[in-house]
Amino acid sequence: MSAFLSTTAVSLGASSLLLLLFVRKYLQSNAHPPYPRGPRPLPLIGNIFDMPTERFVLPYSKLGEKYGPITWLVVPGRTIIVLNTYDSMYEILERRGSNYTDRPRAAMIQDLVGMDFITPLRQGDPTWRLHRKFLRPALSLDTIKRNYSDIFLASAHRFIERLVREPENFRFGLKRSLGETISELAYGACNDGQGNDYVAKQQELLVYSTLASAGYLVDLFPSLKHVPSWFPGAQFQRDAKKWRQHMTDLRHLMIEGVQKRMAANEGRSCYVVNMLEDLQKVKDETGADITEEIQAVYDSGFSFYQGKLALFISFLLAMTLAPAAQAQARKEIDKVVGTGRFPEFKDQGDLPYTHAVVLESLRWNPPAPFIIPHASREDDTYNGYFIPKGTMVIPNVWQISRDPSVYEDPTTFNPDRFINNPNILDPRDFVFGFGRRACPGSYLAYQIMWMFVVSTLWAFELEKPEGEPPLDKDTDRFDFGFLK
């Protein structure tokens, strides 16, 4: 018996050894570089406790300080990397942009609220490419100045008038003026003439989309989207239903408005009308079916309304905290424009310091501290680290704005850094995104902001209210919201 057991043990030992050798050979043949560094994940739940719940970019920046340009995180059903340097973002998202054109699936805002049709949230599919095909030329710098500069000028004038009448309601006046600009540019109107205010409804939708983007449990566990709305704890289902209905009604309202105005030959020059007229010419000449293209125009036009308010609020705050910069900009504007007329786009080339003020406002507080995440289509490697297919990639652009190796004394508002300094990183190269997913409306956003900035400094001297705290630290100045 003992001999039999000994022989059996030797056989089992040999079998185990052969199995181990086989597994080792298999792993080597399927080996990949190591994953990026990051905090140690816990069993089952991964790095859930390492994920920030507020002021997202500050914890992301701390992780970058500890683990390097790329931080690796794991949550149930998803792998994540956070990029904290311009070089890593440019290499991964710009140079390898074709592999990072998708978006990670977000169950709340995309599936339940149904906003996956808008250009920023669409996957990198043929319809998204059609959106980009329409948006790129329509929002080029030449097209904006040629077709839409009058809209910007009129909107800036309305804002100045509102500010004169009701200075205490400057935030409402600003939101209203910017909203009118975008609504007129996209759809050619601010209302349907029957009491439906496009701007107010768009602002309400912006609030809903911001809430839906804030992070829900259903985003971590997508199967929860099948929970019925009456189930205890399913408030997210009831919220999503309400927000989806509001969005659907608004889409139909704005589309019907354009169709009615065009049928009555009252269609004003705007993105949707101009594109539909061009498509109709193609159909008349070729007989092509343009149904898909028409829908793409409507959907891409609906994507125009973004959080442009954040761009200007940063400027207003900066002017109260940096009175010397404000005085220098106002002196330049007074010299070039004078007091007998409003500023115009033709003045841009003669106002280099004002241009620097706008650039510094973008850098000092990026309008979206982290831009919409990308998702990798295929396995990839970067600096010897492995990035598997389907990884969520979060670009922490706030950290670029505070990187002392990029910007000297980064917390200080200093437009002089952009004067006669051609080698400095232009904030427009990162605040509007990277690669094929970069915001096609970057020229639009900058031109709107420039016109509002120069008009405000031409008309007013801005001062901090008495009794306000000093706001010496970034954490006191900003709320770090995704959309403001």
Side-chain angles (χ1 to χ4, degrees):
M1 177 65 72
S2 60
F4 172 78
L5 291 176
S6 178
T7 303
T8 302
V10 170
S11 299
L12 289 174
S15 299
S16 300
L17 180 61
L18 289 172
L19 178 61
L20 289 173
L21 290 173
F22 172 79
V23 170
R24 181 180 180 184
K25 183 177 180 180
Y26 175 80
L27 291 175
Q28 288 175 339
S29 66
N30 290 273
H32 53 66
Y35 293 103
R37 298 174 60 225
R40 185 183 297 275
L42 297 173
L44 299 179
I45 62 173
N47 296 109
I48 283 183
F49 294 125
D50 297 304
M51 298 298 294
T53 58
E54 60 180 1
R55 296 187 170 190
F56 297 89
V57 293
L58 299 183
Y60 286 154
S61 295
K62 289 292 184 181
L63 290 173
E65 292 174 6
K66 185 173 183 179
Y67 297 106
I70 302 182
T71 300
W72 174 263
L73 298 163
V74 181
V75 296
R78 177 165 289 170
T79 56
I80 301 169
I81 59 171
V82 180
L83 307 180
N84 276 300
T85 64
Y86 176 79
D87 288 343
S88 65
M89 295 179 207
Y90 185 83
E91 174 62 32
I92 291 174
L93 302 178
E94 188 79 33
R95 290 186 174 177
R96 311 180 192 189
S98 60
N99 190 42
Y100 294 90
T101 56
D102 279 344
R103 296 298 193 197
R105 200 72 194 170
M108 185 64 176
I109 192 169
Q110 291 176 314
D111 296 335
L112 296 180
V113 180
M115 295 193 70
D116 55 346
F117 70 92
I118 66 172
T119 308
L121 296 182
R122 282 203 73 94
Q123 298 301 324
D125 56 16
T127 301
W128 169 77
R129 289 193 288 272
L130 191 58
H131 285 208
R132 298 281 295 192
K133 177 183 176 181
F134 293 150
L135 290 169
R136 192 174 295 110
L139 297 180
S140 69
L141 184 58
D142 289 341
T143 302
I144 289 170
K145 288 189 174 182
R146 181 178 64 251
N147 294 347
Y148 308 126
S149 59
D150 289 345
I151 295 176
F152 298 170
L153 284 167
S155 183
H157 296 174
R158 288 196 298 268
F159 170 61
I160 298 301
E161 292 169 0
R162 284 171 172 146
L163 202 54
V164 169
R165 292 197 309 266
E166 299 181 278
E168 68 280 4
N169 292 327
F170 82 92
R171 185 180 288 266
F172 171 80
L174 176 60
K175 289 173 65 175
R176 182 71 201 182
S177 299
L178 290 173
E180 289 169 352
T181 304
I182 301 302
S183 187
E184 290 178 7
L185 188 150
Y187 283 88
C190 295
N191 59 74
D192 65 353
Q194 299 177 359
N196 291 303
D197 186 339
Y198 297 161
V199 177
K201 291 180 180 296
Q202 283 277 21
Q203 290 175 350
E204 187 176 355
L205 180 61
L206 182 61
V207 172
Y208 294 157
S209 62
T210 302
L211 292 172
S213 303
Y216 279 77
L217 193 61
V218 68
D219 292 323
L220 287 178
F221 303 99
S223 60
L224 291 177
K225 66 185 180 183
H226 302 296
V227 172
S229 59
W230 52 262
F231 196 80
Q235 181 63 43
F236 71 94
Q237 288 280 23
R238 298 186 284 275
D239 289 341
K241 182 179 179 180
K242 172 187 173 183
W243 301 343
R244 187 184 191 112
Q245 189 62 55
H246 178 88
M247 178 194 66
T248 301
D249 292 344
L250 180 57
R251 285 180 74 190
H252 291 162
L253 188 68
M254 298 179 81
I255 291 172
E256 290 171 2
V258 167
Q259 292 171 342
K260 290 178 180 178
R261 288 190 295 275
M262 291 184 70
N265 201 25
E266 297 174 352
R268 294 177 55 187
S269 177
C270 65
Y271 170 76
V272 172
V273 170
N274 294 345
M275 295 305 302
L276 291 179
E277 289 178 345
D278 289 344
L279 288 174
Q280 188 61 48
K281 291 177 183 177
V282 172
K283 182 179 180 179
D284 292 341
E285 294 172 0
T286 66
D289 182 0
I290 57 173
T291 303
E292 182 180 1
E293 286 78 3
I294 289 175
Q295 189 61 53
V297 168
Y298 287 140
D299 290 347
S300 56
F302 198 79
S303 306
F304 274 39
Y305 203 97
Q306 301 291 327
K308 300 293 187 294
L309 178 65
L311 297 172
F312 197 73
I313 290 295
S314 296
F315 155 75
L316 293 176
L317 175 61
M319 291 298 93
T320 64
L321 297 178
Q326 180 190 171
Q328 188 168 343
R330 294 181 69 247
K331 181 179 179 180
E332 180 184 68
I333 293 168
D334 288 343
K335 180 180 179 180
V336 172
V337 180
T339 59
R341 64 177 178 88
F342 275 100
E344 301 176 9
F345 280 114
K346 69 179 183 180
D347 300 317
Q348 278 190 330
D350 298 322
L351 297 171
Y353 191 81
T354 306
H355 170 67
V357 166
V358 178
L359 292 181
E360 180 69 344
S361 298
L362 289 172
R363 180 210 67 85
W364 187 62
N365 184 28
F370 69 92
I371 54 182
I372 299 176
H374 297 231
S376 57
R377 291 184 156 190
E378 302 294 340
D379 292 348
D380 195 9
T381 58
Y382 173 74
N383 276 3
Y385 292 119
F386 179 60
I387 303 174
K389 175 181 177 180
T391 297
M392 177 192 288
V393 182
I394 300 176
N396 181 10
V397 298
W398 165 266
Q399 181 56 31
I400 301 177
S401 77
R402 290 304 183 270
D403 188 340
S405 69
V406 178
Y407 298 111
E408 183 179 356
D409 190 15
T411 63
T412 298
F413 187 89
N414 178 22
D416 287 321
R417 71 175 83 244
F418 294 106
I419 300 295
N420 298 322
N421 192 0
N423 296 321
I424 195 169
L425 178 62
D426 190 317
R428 291 172 293 183
D429 289 341
F430 62 87
V431 300
F432 296 119
F434 292 85
R436 301 183 186 186
R437 299 298 319 214
C439 176
S442 58
Y443 289 123
L444 169 66
Y446 179 84
Q447 294 302 317
I448 292 175
M449 184 177 180
W450 186 91
M451 180 50 66
F452 273 70
V453 164
V454 71
S455 297
T456 301
L457 292 176
W458 173 83
F460 302 104
E461 181 177 355
L462 305 173
E463 296 180 354
K464 186 171 66 173
E466 294 184 6
E468 285 290 306
L471 302 179
D472 294 328
K473 298 180 180 179
D474 284 339
T475 50
D476 299 327
R477 297 167 176 166
F478 313 122
D479 62 11
F480 305 94
F482 180 66
L483 290 171
K484 309 186 191 68

